[in-house]
């Protein structure tokens, strides 16, 4: 099928590339001309595992092209809108990009079009889109509007797109439902040639769930808010473990074994970040408020998350006593591993506080240094974990990149001023670190001193 994708961010680009990969003809646009030129010249504007190879392959085979919004609208019977919906000052989602695209579609398109909102939007946006398209349509446009929320995680977005647990479509006509099912059929049946796995371990049939538009829109916000709630919950449990001498790793394992709870998203740490959870949580609370529902539960989830940053800085202070003029080595800047995304990264919030208190910070991240440097010019960025550790009073791990689990501890211990490892993600093996003469301070009672190897008393 011929598909248009408007917006080439994480969601749009993954959507466009993966639809082309499963056999559709896709045209994709972005209003950021610099990004568009990069894509037209084969340069990736973002780091996302597997995406570069897939984009190169489908461009070469002629199934994916990039161009202007107008060209894109002309191309497909089905138009996926994947533009940004950033937060406004009051927590509402800013729908101006969505509105602008809808107006251009209304003025430009004719015949039948299925217009699909893939961006995360508040409930009733589909209905609003429908009204707006009808008001502004200047040609003979016959259209349906559908909601098709995405459940892609940055860092695994290609895998999540190609091997999803569910595909949710919110529609109000069977024509729209049939078109979307036809587009997704190779993914529902898992019949496409997988570009990332040879044995393809994730080939389970995907559930295709058809709902009304309002329900699909709520499914997206409710899913992200639930996951954020799980993280804040385990973070509070971590604090309690730390205060009582329990081990949050064991506690999370114990509660996660209940299939009604499940083991995922129970990793405690410095809190959730990224461009989705913080803004979606806020937006969902605002939506509830507008419709007269008091979702104070989610407001608390946000408050707990915000406090993670200052309480982690306190943890560092507790070990170093005074932060002024201390040299702190930071491993990890991205809001999570396998991405270069630093938006709402708790790592950067922590670094800002450390710098404000007069500490110097030497950081290393495998992908996110360029973006971090632009945001925090005073940050010293190093070429690897070892350069960052040089002369450090403490090493602080803020993003759990796999690379940090495989460092040469002997080498690191020879570089630092003080052998202190503060692990904000409980990502390292406490035993490994302690064995190399480090004091290990983790989250939720997971700590240990070198002399305590064996008993691993909590600090
Ligand atoms: C999230 C959702 O997981 C996706 O399903 C959704 O499609 C996406 O938002 C979106 O709305 O576009 P993402 O923001 O890429 O995906 O990242 P996650 O892997 O969900 O992590 C979010 C944050 O939570 C990260 O800062 C991560 O470090 C933190 N986290 C995650 C924890 O602190 N503990 C956990 O156990 C899990």
């Amino acid at each position: 099928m011929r598909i248009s994708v408007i917006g080439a961010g994480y969601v749009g680009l993954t959507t466009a590339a993966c639809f082309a990969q499963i056999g559709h003809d896709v045209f994709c646009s972005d209003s950021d001309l610099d990004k568009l030129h990069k894509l037209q010249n084969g340069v990736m504007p973002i780091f996302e595992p597997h995406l570069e190879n897939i984009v190169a392959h489908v461009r070469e085979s002629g199934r994916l092209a990039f161009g202007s919004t107008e060209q894109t609208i002309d191309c497909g019977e089905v138009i996926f809108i994947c533009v940004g919906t950033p937060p406004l000052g009051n927590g509402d989602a800013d729908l101006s990009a969505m509105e602008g695209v809808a107006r251009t579609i209304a003025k430009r398109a004719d015949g039948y079009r299925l217009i699909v909102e893939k961006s995360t939007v508040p409930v009733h946006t589909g209905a609003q889109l429908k009204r707006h398209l009808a008001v502004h349509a200047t040609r003979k446009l016959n259209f349906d509007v559908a909601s098709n929320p995405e459940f892609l995680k940055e860092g695994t977005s290609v895998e999540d797109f190609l091997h999803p647990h569910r595909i949710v479509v919110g529609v109000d006509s069977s024509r729209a439902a049939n078109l979307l099912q036809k587009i997704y059929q190779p993914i529902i049946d898992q019949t496409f040639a997988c570009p990332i796995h040879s044995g393809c371990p994730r080939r389970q049939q995907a559930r295709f769930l058809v709902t009304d538009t309002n329900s699909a829109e709520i499914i997206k916000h409710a899913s992200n808010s639930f996951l954020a709630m799980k993280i804040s919950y385990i973070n509070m449990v971590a604090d309690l473990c730390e205060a009582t001498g329990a081990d949050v790793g064991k506690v999370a394992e114990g509660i996660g074994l209940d299939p009604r709870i499940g083991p995922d998203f129970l990793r405690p740490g410095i809190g959730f970040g990224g461009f989705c959870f913080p803004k979606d949580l806020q937006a969902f609370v605002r939506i509830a408020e507008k419709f007269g529902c008091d979702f104070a539960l989610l407001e608390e989830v946000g408050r707990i998350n915000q406090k993670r940053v200052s309480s982690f800085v306190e943890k560092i202070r507790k070990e170093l006593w005074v932060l002024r003029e201390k040299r702190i080595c930071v491993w990890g800047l991205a809001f999570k591993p396998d991405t270069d995304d630093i938006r709402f990264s708790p790592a950067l919030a922590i670094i800002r506080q450390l710098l404000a208190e007069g500490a110097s910070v030497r950081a290393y991240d495998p992908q996110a240094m360029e973006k971090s440097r632009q945001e925090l010019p005073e940050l010293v960025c190093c070429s690897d974990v070892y350069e960052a550790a040089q002369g450090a009073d403490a090493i602080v791990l803020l993003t759990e990149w796999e690379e940090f689990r495989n460092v040469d501890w002997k080498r690191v211990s020879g570089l630092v001023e003080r052998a202190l490892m503060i692990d904000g993600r409980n990502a390292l093996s406490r035993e490994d670190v302690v064995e190399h003469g480090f004091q290990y301070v983790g989250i939720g009672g997971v700590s240990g001193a070198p002399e305590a190897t064996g008993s691993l008393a909590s600090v």
Side-chain angles (χ1 to χ4, degrees):
M1 278 182 68
R2 285 163 71 85
I3 294 173
S4 306
V5 176
I6 299 179
Y10 284 96
V11 175
L13 196 53
T14 305
T15 302
C18 291
F19 276 155
Q21 172 69 33
I22 63 169
H24 299 299
D25 290 314
V26 184
F27 211 94
C28 179
S29 66
D30 200 284
S31 58
D32 177 341
L33 295 183
D34 182 46
K35 187 191 276 182
L36 188 62
H37 289 146
K38 278 188 176 149
L39 288 165
Q40 285 172 322
N41 292 308
V43 178
M44 289 295 284
I46 50 166
F47 169 76
E48 184 62 33
H50 309 295
L51 197 53
E52 187 167 5
N53 288 346
I54 297 177
V55 169
H57 168 68
V58 290
R59 279 187 76 223
E60 208 176 286
S61 56
R63 289 201 305 277
L64 175 63
F66 296 99
S68 68
T69 305
E70 286 73 14
Q71 283 172 305
T72 305
I73 291 169
D74 292 346
C75 172
E77 181 180 7
V78 183
I79 303 173
F80 285 84
I81 305 181
C82 304
V83 296
T85 52
L88 290 167
N90 64 1
D92 279 349
D94 179 356
L95 298 177
S96 53
M98 168 91 47
E99 192 261 358
V101 167
R103 209 151 8 106
T104 315
I105 295 173
K107 296 219 165 92
R108 180 99 191 164
D110 51 18
Y112 175 79
R113 299 303 170 94
L114 170 59
I115 295 136
V116 187
E117 38 163 59
K118 212 172 199 1
S119 311
T120 301
V121 290
V123 62
H124 283 183
T125 301
Q128 191 65 43
L129 204 56
K130 217 167 153 178
R131 265 196 300 275
H132 199 67
L133 284 159
V135 166
H136 290 283
T138 47
R139 303 192 195 189
K140 183 129 187 60
L141 178 63
N142 175 18
F143 66 89
D144 276 313
V145 167
S147 162
N148 172 217
E150 54 82 19
F151 304 106
L152 313 177
K153 298 186 293 301
E154 284 180 29
T156 55
S157 74
V158 171
E159 272 188 83
D160 293 341
F161 193 97
L162 292 173
H163 305 299
H165 295 286
R166 84 280 213 201
I167 295 160
V168 174
V169 297
V171 291
D172 50 19
S173 81
S174 54
R175 184 176 189 178
N178 291 340
L179 271 172
L180 285 165
Q181 176 150 5
K182 200 168 152 199
I183 289 174
Y184 278 109
Q185 203 64 53
I187 293 180
I188 298 169
D189 297 336
Q190 292 287 295
T191 49
F192 60 90
C194 180
I196 46 178
H197 308 111
S198 46
C200 222
R202 283 182 64 176
R203 272 208 190 272
Q204 84 277 9
Q205 269 233 332
R207 175 83 197 277
F208 188 73
L209 180 67
V210 182
T211 70
D212 59 282
T213 316
N214 291 343
S215 302
E217 287 166 343
I218 288 201
I219 286 172
K220 169 67 193 191
H221 267 135
S223 299
N224 273 6
S225 300
F226 189 86
L227 292 170
M229 183 174 75
K230 242 181 139 180
I231 298 169
S232 279
Y233 181 81
I234 199 64
N235 279 335
M236 285 313 300
V237 172
D239 285 355
L240 185 60
C241 288
E242 204 159 307
T244 55
D247 175 338
V248 71
K250 288 287 168 218
V251 172
E253 190 182 347
I255 58 180
L257 283 170
D258 182 335
R260 292 170 301 176
I261 298 172
D264 295 336
F265 280 71
L266 287 179
R267 295 191 316 275
I270 54 174
F272 56 80
F275 203 55
C276 301
F277 283 177
K279 91 171 159 67
D280 290 353
L281 190 72
Q282 238 189 345
F284 204 35
V285 170
R286 288 281 299 163
I287 296 160
E289 209 174 276
K290 273 189 196 158
F291 288 90
C293 304
D294 179 4
F295 224 149
L297 170 70
L298 292 185
E299 287 186 61
E300 195 51 38
V301 168
R303 258 194 298 274
I304 292 169
N305 195 55
Q306 266 172 12
K307 275 196 252 157
R308 298 312 287 171
V309 167
S310 49
S311 67
F312 190 72
V313 172
E314 272 318 303
K315 199 184 259 291
I316 302 173
R317 196 199 318 279
K318 191 174 153 211
E319 295 305 326
L320 294 182
W321 188 19
V322 169
L323 292 176
R324 176 165 294 280
E325 286 175 20
K326 291 284 158 58
R327 186 185 267 212
I328 299 177
C329 158
V330 165
W331 288 352
L333 299 164
F335 83 97
K336 65 172 198 176
D338 297 321
T339 177
D340 62 350
D341 198 343
I342 52 161
R343 290 175 296 175
F344 298 98
S345 170
L348 291 204
I350 288 166
I351 292 171
R352 268 194 204 95
Q353 284 203 16
L354 294 174
L355 291 172
E357 296 211 25
S360 72
V361 176
R362 294 165 61 83
Y364 168 72
D365 185 288
Q367 292 292 339
M369 287 203 292
E370 206 181 305
K371 289 185 175 166
S372 303
R373 225 182 260 123
Q374 285 162 18
E375 187 118 331
L376 277 176
E378 61 270 55
L379 186 67
V380 179
C381 289
C382 301
S383 57
D384 58 23
V385 283
Y386 306 104
E387 194 189 328
Q390 196 84 48
D393 293 294
I395 302 178
V396 172
L397 187 150
L398 300 181
T399 316
E400 66 276 36
W401 286 90
E402 192 54 34
E403 183 180 330
F404 303 151
R405 296 192 176 98
N406 304 314
V407 297
D408 176 348
W409 283 108
K410 206 164 161 230
R411 187 170 163 202
V412 177
S413 64
L415 295 168
V416 292
E417 171 72 23
R418 174 177 166 192
L420 168 62
M421 174 75 225
I422 308 180
D423 184 352
R425 300 284 189 175
N426 284 0
L428 302 172
S429 149
R430 168 178 53 179
E431 287 77 7
D432 254 15
V433 178
V434 167
E435 201 184 295
H436 288 94
F438 274 78
Q439 178 193 346
Y440 177 85
V441 179
I443 302 281
V446 189
S447 302
E451 67 276 14
T453 319
S455 69
L456 296 174
S458 70
V459 173

